[in-house]
Short mmCIF file of all heavy atoms in Angstrom, two decimals:
data_model
loop_
_atom_site.label_atom_id
_atom_site.label_comp_id
_atom_site.label_asym_id
_atom_site.label_seq_id
_atom_site.Cartn_x
_atom_site.Cartn_y
_atom_site.Cartn_z
N TYR A 31 99.86 98.26 92.49
CA TYR A 31 99.59 99.56 92.94
C TYR A 31 100.65 100.48 92.32
O TYR A 31 100.39 101.65 91.84
CB TYR A 31 99.79 99.75 94.55
CG TYR A 31 98.56 99.32 95.23
CD1 TYR A 31 98.67 98.21 96.18
CD2 TYR A 31 97.31 99.80 95.06
CE1 TYR A 31 97.58 97.84 96.90
CE2 TYR A 31 96.23 99.39 95.79
CZ TYR A 31 96.36 98.34 96.73
OH TYR A 31 95.27 97.90 97.41
N ASN A 32 101.92 100.10 92.41
CA ASN A 32 103.01 100.82 91.88
C ASN A 32 104.15 100.09 91.61
O ASN A 32 104.31 99.00 91.90
CB ASN A 32 103.23 102.12 92.81
CG ASN A 32 103.71 101.73 94.16
OD1 ASN A 32 104.55 100.87 94.36
ND2 ASN A 32 103.09 102.36 95.21
N GLN A 34 108.60 100.67 91.65
CA GLN A 34 109.67 101.60 92.10
C GLN A 34 111.01 101.10 91.64
O GLN A 34 111.34 99.80 91.76
CB GLN A 34 109.60 101.71 93.58
CG GLN A 34 110.36 103.02 94.11
CD GLN A 34 110.01 103.24 95.61
OE1 GLN A 34 109.00 102.58 96.16
NE2 GLN A 34 110.79 104.12 96.20
N GLN A 38 121.44 100.79 94.20
CA GLN A 38 122.13 100.39 95.40
C GLN A 38 123.64 100.31 95.07
O GLN A 38 124.02 99.61 94.13
CB GLN A 38 121.69 99.06 95.84
CG GLN A 38 122.36 98.59 97.22
CD GLN A 38 121.85 97.27 97.63
OE1 GLN A 38 121.40 96.47 96.96
NE2 GLN A 38 121.92 97.10 99.07
N LYS A 42 125.75 99.53 100.58
CA LYS A 42 124.91 100.68 100.91
C LYS A 42 123.53 100.33 100.88
O LYS A 42 123.14 99.30 100.30
CB LYS A 42 125.15 101.87 99.99
CG LYS A 42 126.65 102.35 99.96
CD LYS A 42 127.19 102.86 101.26
CE LYS A 42 128.59 103.39 101.09
NZ LYS A 42 129.15 103.82 102.38
N GLY A 43 122.62 101.19 101.45
CA GLY A 43 121.34 100.92 101.40
C GLY A 43 120.65 101.38 99.96
O GLY A 43 121.52 101.66 99.03
N LEU A 49 109.29 106.39 90.99
CA LEU A 49 108.03 105.62 91.33
C LEU A 49 107.04 105.93 90.28
O LEU A 49 106.83 107.03 89.82
CB LEU A 49 107.60 106.10 92.66
CG LEU A 49 106.14 105.60 93.12
CD1 LEU A 49 106.32 104.23 93.53
CD2 LEU A 49 105.66 106.39 94.25
N ARG A 93 104.63 96.80 94.08
CA ARG A 93 103.74 96.66 95.08
C ARG A 93 102.47 96.06 94.53
O ARG A 93 101.73 96.77 93.83
CB ARG A 93 103.47 97.90 95.81
CG ARG A 93 102.61 97.64 97.08
CD ARG A 93 102.35 98.93 97.79
NE ARG A 93 103.53 99.58 98.53
CZ ARG A 93 104.01 99.13 99.54
NH1 ARG A 93 103.45 98.01 100.22
NH2 ARG A 93 105.15 99.70 100.06
N ASN A 98 101.13 92.97 101.24
CA ASN A 98 101.59 93.97 102.14
C ASN A 98 102.99 94.47 101.90
O ASN A 98 103.43 95.39 102.54
CB ASN A 98 101.36 93.55 103.57
CG ASN A 98 99.94 93.51 103.98
OD1 ASN A 98 99.15 94.30 103.63
ND2 ASN A 98 99.58 92.38 104.65
N ASP A 99 103.75 93.91 101.06
CA ASP A 99 105.12 94.42 100.88
C ASP A 99 105.34 94.79 99.48
O ASP A 99 104.54 94.50 98.53
CB ASP A 99 106.11 93.42 101.36
CG ASP A 99 106.25 92.14 100.50
OD1 ASP A 99 105.51 91.99 99.50
OD2 ASP A 99 107.09 91.29 100.85
N MET A 100 106.62 95.16 99.18
CA MET A 100 107.00 95.35 97.77
C MET A 100 107.82 94.12 97.38
O MET A 100 108.76 93.75 98.18
CB MET A 100 107.80 96.58 97.64
CG MET A 100 106.93 97.82 97.87
SD MET A 100 107.70 99.33 97.30
CE MET A 100 107.37 99.26 95.47
N GLN B 38 118.86 91.09 102.73
CA GLN B 38 119.43 90.94 101.45
C GLN B 38 120.63 89.96 101.59
O GLN B 38 121.64 90.36 102.13
CB GLN B 38 119.89 92.23 100.81
CG GLN B 38 120.42 92.15 99.40
CD GLN B 38 120.71 93.49 98.88
OE1 GLN B 38 121.26 94.38 99.54
NE2 GLN B 38 120.38 93.76 97.60
N LEU B 46 111.38 90.48 102.46
CA LEU B 46 110.71 91.16 103.54
C LEU B 46 110.55 90.10 104.73
O LEU B 46 110.19 89.01 104.52
CB LEU B 46 109.32 91.62 103.16
CG LEU B 46 108.54 92.20 104.23
CD1 LEU B 46 109.07 93.49 104.66
CD2 LEU B 46 107.03 92.40 103.92
N TYR B 49 106.88 93.62 108.90
CA TYR B 49 106.44 94.90 108.80
C TYR B 49 105.50 95.34 109.91
O TYR B 49 104.93 94.43 110.63
CB TYR B 49 105.76 95.13 107.44
CG TYR B 49 104.43 94.53 107.27
CD1 TYR B 49 103.20 95.18 107.65
CD2 TYR B 49 104.35 93.22 106.73
CE1 TYR B 49 101.96 94.55 107.42
CE2 TYR B 49 103.08 92.47 106.71
CZ TYR B 49 101.96 93.14 106.98
OH TYR B 49 100.73 92.55 106.82
N PHE B 88 122.65 91.28 104.79
CA PHE B 88 122.54 92.74 104.90
C PHE B 88 121.12 92.97 105.29
O PHE B 88 120.18 92.78 104.56
CB PHE B 88 122.92 93.38 103.61
CG PHE B 88 123.14 94.88 103.53
CD1 PHE B 88 123.91 95.40 104.58
CD2 PHE B 88 122.65 95.65 102.52
CE1 PHE B 88 124.20 96.75 104.62
CE2 PHE B 88 122.95 96.98 102.55
CZ PHE B 88 123.60 97.54 103.53
N LEU B 100 98.80 101.04 102.54
CA LEU B 100 100.04 100.35 102.11
C LEU B 100 100.34 100.40 100.60
O LEU B 100 101.55 100.31 100.21
CB LEU B 100 100.04 98.97 102.63
CG LEU B 100 100.23 98.78 104.12
CD1 LEU B 100 100.10 97.38 104.49
CD2 LEU B 100 101.69 99.20 104.59
N GLY B 101 99.29 100.43 99.87
CA GLY B 101 99.48 100.25 98.35
C GLY B 101 100.12 101.46 97.71
O GLY B 101 100.62 101.26 96.53
N ALA B 102 100.00 102.68 98.23
CA ALA B 102 100.31 103.78 97.38
C ALA B 102 101.65 104.39 97.76
O ALA B 102 101.94 105.52 97.23
CB ALA B 102 99.22 104.83 97.59
N VAL B 104 105.77 105.19 98.73
CA VAL B 104 107.17 105.02 98.33
C VAL B 104 107.87 104.63 99.60
O VAL B 104 107.71 105.09 100.62
CB VAL B 104 107.74 106.45 97.96
CG1 VAL B 104 109.14 106.37 97.63
CG2 VAL B 104 106.94 106.93 96.74
N LEU B 105 108.85 103.63 99.29
CA LEU B 105 109.64 103.14 100.36
C LEU B 105 110.99 103.93 100.42
O LEU B 105 111.55 104.28 99.38
CB LEU B 105 110.01 101.65 100.08
CG LEU B 105 109.11 100.57 100.48
CD1 LEU B 105 109.67 99.24 100.06
CD2 LEU B 105 108.82 100.57 101.92
N PHE B 107 114.77 103.73 102.50
CA PHE B 107 115.58 102.81 103.08
C PHE B 107 116.65 103.47 103.94
O PHE B 107 117.19 104.56 103.66
CB PHE B 107 116.26 101.87 102.09
CG PHE B 107 115.34 100.87 101.53
CD1 PHE B 107 114.56 101.05 100.51
CD2 PHE B 107 115.31 99.53 102.10
CE1 PHE B 107 113.68 100.03 99.94
CE2 PHE B 107 114.53 98.58 101.59
CZ PHE B 107 113.66 98.81 100.49
N GLY B 108 117.03 102.73 105.00
CA GLY B 108 118.26 103.17 105.86
C GLY B 108 119.50 102.65 105.17
O GLY B 108 119.43 101.92 104.09
N ALA B 109 120.59 102.86 105.70
CA ALA B 109 121.89 102.49 105.19
C ALA B 109 122.16 101.03 105.38
O ALA B 109 123.13 100.43 104.78
CB ALA B 109 123.02 103.34 105.80
#
Side-chain angles (χ1 to χ4, degrees):
Chain A
Y31 284 120
N32 58 48
Q34 196 168 351
Q38 185 176 29
K42 305 294 185 182
L49 171 74
R93 190 178 291 283
N98 289 317
D99 73 357
M100 296 196 78
Chain B
Q38 186 177 37
L46 179 67
Y49 69 92
F88 193 45
L100 284 173
V104 176
L105 275 180
F107 281 85

